[in-house]
Amino acid sequence: MHLHILGICGTFMGGLAALAREAGHQVTGCDVNVYPPMSTQLEALGIELITGFGAEQLALKPDVFVIGNVVTRGERFPLMEAILDAGRPYTSGPQWLAEHVLQGRHTLAVAGTHGKTSTTSMLAWILEHAGLKPGFLVGGVPQNFGVSARLGSGSAFVIEADEYDTAFFDKRSKFVHYRPRTAVLNNLEHDHADIFPDLAAIETQFHHLVRTVPASGRLVVNAREEALQRVIARGCWSEVLRFGAKKEEAGMLRARGEPQAFDVLRGSLKVARVEWNLIGEHNQLNALAAIAAAEHVGVSPEQSAAALAEFQNVRRRMELRGEAGGIRVYDDFAHHPTAMRTTVNGLRRRIAPAERILAIFEPRSNTMKLGTMKAQLPWALEEADLAFCNQQGLSWDAKEALAPMGAQAFVGADVDVLVAAIVKVAKPGDHLLCMSNGGFDGIHEKLLAALAH
């Protein structure tokens, strides 16, 4: 089969392209942002990439066009208009995946506002370490594997289950297509304000996911999240294993100890001990979720803990990009206020009390660009010593949003202005934490080059 993928450089569609190629299909694709690391990863697989959405691509005559959710109706996407006019076959990415990859496999889906990529990667690595040879599709590159997707030869398939909508012609959340036997509900708060008016709307989509899990399946649910308890209360037909509550509860998995070295308890019984390189309470909770999900396909908590000791996390998760003049520069994918707060807190817990954190961020997600959560930014950055925000591309005033931080916050018109301001105040021992879900205009390299002079 020849697939032509519209929006191929997104993390999900790029992973889907890799799976289709591995399955022996001919794959081509187009996007506006054809740049590394996704472009190099795809080209290495022999996938031809075209820049733009020109109507002339209709001449490729693929068997099916696979449409990413970046595509909308109208003049920005002439290829889509041509596909519709010509009556050519098209489908969404999640639907193609469900029909051609997930069919007949034990799908383990990881859903939640935060931590999906890390938890999916942990779970895939646990199953790999246990010899189950899982397939997986992750919205990032797990460093234990070096690729974001593979078919795998075992029956298990681990997938990052996103609540974002499927395509312009299918407004259900992507995860509704996956029909998992094991579903992790990691956490839930309002996000994707461009498509969900409020938290209740997202809870409805999560309940659609719950409805697809069979009676023999398992729901792994974060006990701390009120929104998830409301989702389950709407109706549940599968076993529920809760994790993460601070108090003992029969059957539930919880942690005792610091995030980098903790016992895993079931009720009051210790069932495993995790000692690893990751920091932050969020990763401790992610680990509990992965352990609970892996148990459903026969991997004991003890085996899972042994795997997590060798877990290397995902690129762009507190990834140290370099050091210059005694100043460290990190890259992190955090882009929602809660994730930013958690990331800063994780770094704060790891470094010496006297060392400073300079939080550098761009509000780049659709939710942040709309300004829906701008009031939460001072709270998100509370534990940073200084904060630097990129104003570029925003319709709202970042200075006004960060005013409660006073002289602690600096807003720059673009990345070059930010770099100049940061280099002026940075001193040896500082930790420069860059947070964005995009490339951030190469700020990491610019900072390291400027600091080296």
Side-chain angles (χ1 to χ4, degrees):
M1 185 185 276
H2 174 193
L3 285 70
H4 188 59
I5 300 176
L6 282 68
I8 194 168
C9 288
T11 48
F12 172 78
M13 298 303 270
L16 184 145
L19 292 173
R21 190 77 193 86
E22 194 186 339
H25 300 296
Q26 180 191 348
V27 182
T28 53
C30 62
D31 213 324
V32 281
N33 298 315
V34 178
Y35 55 75
M38 189 56 85
S39 61
T40 44
Q41 192 178 315
L42 293 172
E43 281 162 355
L45 295 171
I47 294 170
E48 185 196 339
L49 303 179
I50 299 167
T51 300
F53 295 93
E56 73 282 354
Q57 293 172 51
L58 205 63
L60 291 167
K61 295 187 176 166
D63 296 291
V64 65
F65 289 93
V66 185
I67 314 299
N69 65 3
V70 67
V71 177
T72 57
R73 291 297 308 273
E75 58 191 32
R76 280 180 57 222
F77 297 95
L79 176 55
M80 192 66 236
E81 296 304 312
I83 291 165
L84 293 170
D85 283 337
R88 294 285 173 84
Y90 65 91
T91 186
S92 70
Q95 186 162 349
W96 191 89
L97 189 75
E99 291 171 359
H100 297 272
V101 176
L102 302 181
Q103 194 68 44
R105 298 186 77 164
H106 183 126
T107 302
L108 299 94
V110 178
T113 310
H114 314 293
K116 287 188 291 293
T117 304
S118 296
T119 309
T120 308
S121 303
M122 286 175 203
L123 180 52
W125 174 242
I126 287 169
L127 302 193
E128 174 76 0
H129 191 269
L132 299 185
K133 298 182 174 136
F136 58 83
L137 174 52
V138 187
V141 181
Q143 297 195 56
N144 290 86
F145 295 103
V147 293
S148 64
R150 74 164 195 205
L151 285 177
S153 56
S155 67
F157 194 97
V158 185
I159 187 163
E160 180 171 331
D162 189 359
E163 73 274 21
Y164 209 80
D165 64 357
T166 298
F168 74 85
F169 50 87
D170 182 351
K171 289 305 178 186
R172 293 172 297 167
S173 289
K174 287 181 190 166
F175 58 37
V176 174
H177 292 271
Y178 303 152
R179 303 188 182 177
R181 292 199 158 271
T182 312
V184 173
L185 309 185
N186 223 4
N187 41 59
L188 183 53
E189 59 180 301
H190 189 214
D191 195 9
H192 306 310
D194 50 325
I195 57 168
F196 294 120
D198 51 31
L199 180 56
I202 309 179
E203 287 178 18
T204 297
Q205 291 294 330
F206 268 70
H207 194 246
H208 290 333
L209 175 64
V210 168
R211 289 178 193 176
T212 65
V213 180
S216 57
R218 171 181 283 186
L219 287 158
V220 176
V221 181
N222 186 338
R224 297 186 190 180
E225 295 278 326
E226 282 180 32
L228 292 177
Q229 314 318 315
R230 289 196 295 270
V231 168
I232 299 299
R234 287 188 179 194
C236 179
W237 301 268
S238 320
E239 174 201 12
V240 176
L241 178 59
R242 285 153 51 85
F243 70 91
K246 300 195 174 174
K247 291 180 182 166
E248 186 183 318
E249 192 180 298
M252 182 173 53
L253 289 186
R254 62 191 184 95
R256 179 177 62 198
E258 282 300 306
Q260 62 273 18
F262 59 94
D263 294 333
V264 179
L265 308 179
R266 191 191 306 280
S268 58
L269 183 72
K270 177 181 165 183
V271 292
R273 180 165 178 81
V274 175
E275 293 185 8
W276 62 347
N277 294 324
L278 271 65
I279 56 171
E281 193 177 16
H282 60 300
N283 278 319
Q284 189 178 52
L285 288 168
N286 292 343
L288 290 176
I291 290 167
E295 189 184 51
H296 195 227
V297 287
V299 182
S300 72
E302 212 168 16
Q303 283 176 289
S304 291
L308 291 173
E310 297 174 28
F311 180 65
Q312 293 174 31
N313 211 348
V314 187
R315 287 188 194 147
R316 306 206 58 206
R317 299 304 186 276
M318 195 69 76
E319 183 182 350
L320 180 64
R321 291 291 291 268
E323 191 172 331
I327 297 165
R328 294 181 150 216
V329 178
Y330 303 87
D331 181 20
D332 198 274
F333 194 72
H335 54 278
H336 181 287
T338 304
M340 289 165 65
R341 182 181 173 91
T342 307
T343 302
V344 175
N345 172 262
L347 183 56
R348 172 60 67 210
R349 288 165 78 149
R350 188 167 75 180
I351 64 176
E355 293 173 357
R356 298 193 307 168
I357 296 173
L358 278 60
I360 304 148
F361 67 101
E362 59 171 356
R364 187 184 166 277
S365 70
N366 289 331
T367 302
M368 293 307 293
K369 274 186 183 167
L370 288 168
T372 312
M373 295 180 180
K374 62 186 180 186
Q376 288 177 254
L377 286 171
W379 167 81
L381 300 160
E382 207 168 36
E383 290 191 82
D385 295 279
L386 297 169
F388 297 84
C389 176
N390 185 13
Q391 175 70 51
Q392 201 169 11
L394 299 182
S395 57
W396 48 275
D397 186 353
K399 271 186 189 163
E400 193 183 307
L402 294 168
M405 297 185 74
Q408 258 182 296
F410 174 87
V411 176
D414 58 35
V415 164
D416 293 333
V417 173
L418 279 189
V419 169
I422 293 160
V423 170
K424 256 187 197 170
V425 299
K427 53 192 187 189
D430 283 352
H431 300 263
L432 275 48
L433 175 56
C434 303
M435 294 179 282
S436 169
N437 67 344
F440 211 156
D441 198 15
I443 194 167
H444 321 87
E445 291 79 12
K446 289 178 179 179
L447 281 169
L448 289 165
L451 290 165
H453 284 120

